[in-house]
Amino acid sequence: MNERRIATFEVTPNIAVVKYWGKRNEEKILPTNASISMTLDSLKTRTTVMFDSKLKEDELWLNGKKVDLEKNAEAKERLKQLDVIRKKAGINHRARIVSINGFPTAAGFASSASGLAALACAASKAAGLKLSTQELSILARLGSGSASRSVMGGFVEWTKGEKPDGSDSHAVQVASPQHWPEIRLVSAVLTEEKKKVSSRAGMRQTVATSALYRSRQEHHLPRVLEEMRRAIRERDFEKFAELTMRESNSLHAVMLDTWPPIKYMNDKSHEVVAAVHALNEAAGRTVAAYTFDAGPNAHIYTLVENAPKVMVMLKKIRGVKKTVISKPGVGPRELTDSSAHLIDPRNGKVRKHCFDEKKNEITVTVK
Ligand code: PMV
């Protein structure tokens, strides 16, 4: 008889206010600096993992489509945490992984953080492991650096760590999701295009060629990290906002200083930057802060009372395709109800599933 073990988790992304950009170890994904982010309450990824003694190879289904792992080296590489999990659990079974984003695909929202953190949670649970949040963070990190921060809710720091094995480079909570309930993140989609330079290739190039990057590491980041932790603990929005904007600008400056230069922000992104500064000027204080990752889409931190102002500002910018408002999220959630699994636990088959945009929910057909 074949043996099957299954688990399903929902995990949300995070948006960094102090960014990770540069590895000191490419294989273990160890960063050259610590980073800090807020875990969101929206944009969920649901992932079901089933270890099955009958499977010959690991199998991955993303948003309803099977991924050809032989032809997609990057996807295969990102699954390397599965081997670590099998070794820890003492099992040999291959896994079927089914994952869907609870938001429109190609909407310009990065799903690697939530996707790889969901994989760490679901695969380790299905393998029968009981891991600490730190251990889950280390597993998620192997797939994508920023995923290491999505295993916790609230404000999260991914520590740089010193050890060569990476055992001290993981998530720690700076503040709980309840600590700053008024904070909001307004994400504005400016493009649905896939980025031309992957963050993996981009940061490698920056570390190798940018002199400004060295100054960022030595002078800018140590101060920003310390002040950011304090601004979050003291719920000092003006300080938090200024640090967030300056930090995003520092990141995109080192990208431009890379040789050959890398440019992720576009003219629309710079229009948002100017509009946020104009909004703050008109308010006479800092009410909104932009931040940009490895892409042109804008993420704007604000407080709940100022969110309508930010929305009005974005409405005036032509080319904003979609906006999503998030609050601090609580982190990964296991779905134990059998009908929530994306795989039928009785026969191991992938269940019909989709994201219903009208209802704004993931629907699974249970026969
Ligand atoms: O998630 P990764 O490993 O592809 O790196 C993404 C890095 C940034 O999003 C640009 C910054 C960050 O800290 O999230």
Side-chain angles (χ1 to χ4, degrees):
M1 212 186 98
N2 65 318
E3 195 200 2
R4 295 191 195 106
R5 304 186 196 177
I6 192 166
T8 298
F9 274 77
E10 271 187 356
V11 178
T12 51
N14 64 79
I15 294 297
V17 288
V18 180
K19 311 282 190 188
Y20 142 64
W21 195 253
K23 296 180 181 64
R24 64 175 202 279
N25 180 316
E26 289 275 342
E27 200 207 314
K28 295 195 173 75
I29 312 211
L30 298 177
T32 48
N33 63 271
S35 50
I36 301 177
S37 58
M38 186 179 93
T39 297
L40 313 185
D41 71 331
S42 55
L43 307 172
K44 289 186 187 101
T45 296
R46 184 184 301 187
T47 300
T48 299
V49 175
M50 188 189 66
F51 286 101
D52 188 336
S53 59
K54 265 204 171 154
L55 286 173
K56 299 259 179 318
E57 298 288 343
D58 290 327
E59 209 179 83
L60 174 66
W61 296 72
L62 278 183
N63 298 317
K65 287 201 190 94
K66 192 171 176 190
V67 178
D68 186 345
L69 291 173
E70 286 316 306
K71 289 198 182 123
N72 191 332
E74 196 194 317
K76 203 170 177 177
E77 167 79 13
R78 282 176 180 269
L79 298 183
K80 67 182 174 198
Q81 47 168 306
L82 284 178
D83 288 331
V84 180
I85 289 170
R86 277 189 277 258
K87 205 168 157 199
K88 266 187 201 268
I91 59 170
N92 241 325
H93 304 343
R94 300 296 105 181
R96 175 166 289 147
I97 303 153
V98 186
S99 189
I100 180 163
N101 294 325
F103 47 93
T105 39
F109 295 112
S111 54
S112 69
S114 48
L116 287 144
L119 177 62
C121 294
S124 57
K125 184 72 199 271
L129 293 171
K130 282 198 178 73
L131 300 183
S132 67
T133 317
Q134 292 183 354
E135 288 171 304
L136 285 171
S137 174
I138 288 170
L139 279 176
R141 193 194 73 211
L142 296 175
S144 157
S146 58
S148 69
R149 298 184 305 242
S150 266
V151 300
M152 271 182 188
F155 291 87
V156 180
E157 176 165 344
W158 169 20
T159 56
K160 175 178 170 235
E162 301 296 335
K163 294 185 186 161
D165 69 354
S167 57
D168 56 351
S169 181
H170 51 68
V172 290
Q173 201 173 51
V174 177
S176 76
Q178 296 77 29
H179 169 75
W180 204 353
E182 300 83 11
I183 205 146
R184 296 289 179 275
L185 181 76
V186 183
S187 300
V189 178
L190 305 173
T191 179
E192 296 172 6
E193 264 174 51
K194 206 176 166 327
K195 56 190 164 209
K196 288 184 194 85
V197 183
S198 72
S199 46
R200 196 164 285 204
M203 61 179 85
R204 193 183 303 138
Q205 226 170 305
T206 300
V207 176
T209 64
S210 167
L212 193 59
Y213 163 80
R214 276 180 278 285
S215 152
R216 169 177 161 81
Q217 293 294 120
E218 277 167 39
H219 306 295
H220 169 82
L221 284 167
R223 184 185 61 80
V224 170
L225 280 161
E226 204 183 305
E227 291 187 9
M228 186 62 88
R229 287 184 203 109
R230 192 169 350 121
I232 292 169
R233 286 194 186 116
E234 293 175 1
R235 291 185 290 252
D236 179 346
F237 184 78
E238 294 214 36
K239 185 77 195 161
F240 170 86
E242 185 181 332
L243 289 168
T244 297
M245 291 187 277
R246 284 182 180 271
E247 162 53 13
S248 174
N249 294 341
S250 160
L251 173 77
H252 290 272
V254 301
M255 288 164 167
L256 269 188
D257 188 52
T258 299
W259 191 259
I262 314 168
K263 188 172 155 265
Y264 288 112
M265 289 169 70
N266 63 20
D267 289 351
K268 285 282 157 205
S269 320
H270 286 285
E271 226 178 283
V272 174
V273 168
V276 169
H277 283 289
L279 183 71
N280 289 338
E281 188 121 323
R285 64 201 161 91
T286 315
V287 295
Y290 52 78
T291 184
F292 296 84
D293 284 335
N297 296 324
H299 299 279
I300 299 165
Y301 279 103
T302 188
L303 294 174
V304 61
E305 72 251 32
N306 294 315
K309 280 197 193 113
V310 172
M311 297 301 279
V312 169
M313 174 200 87
L314 288 170
K315 281 222 168 76
K316 288 188 195 145
I317 299 176
R318 277 185 53 202
V320 173
K321 295 196 164 60
K322 202 181 255 327
T323 51
V324 176
I325 302 191
S326 311
K327 296 183 214 149
V330 293
R333 190 166 72 100
E334 184 177 9
L335 306 182
T336 47
D337 189 318
S338 162
S339 65
H341 295 312
L342 301 172
I343 301 173
D344 189 334
R346 294 162 298 183
N347 57 20
K349 285 191 182 150
V350 178
R351 281 174 167 160
K352 220 172 142 221
H353 59 284
C354 68
F355 171 63
D356 187 328
E357 267 195 61
K358 275 202 198 101
K359 287 195 197 143
N360 194 29
E361 63 183 34
I362 295 165
T363 60
V364 184
T365 309
V366 180
K367 283 200 190 121

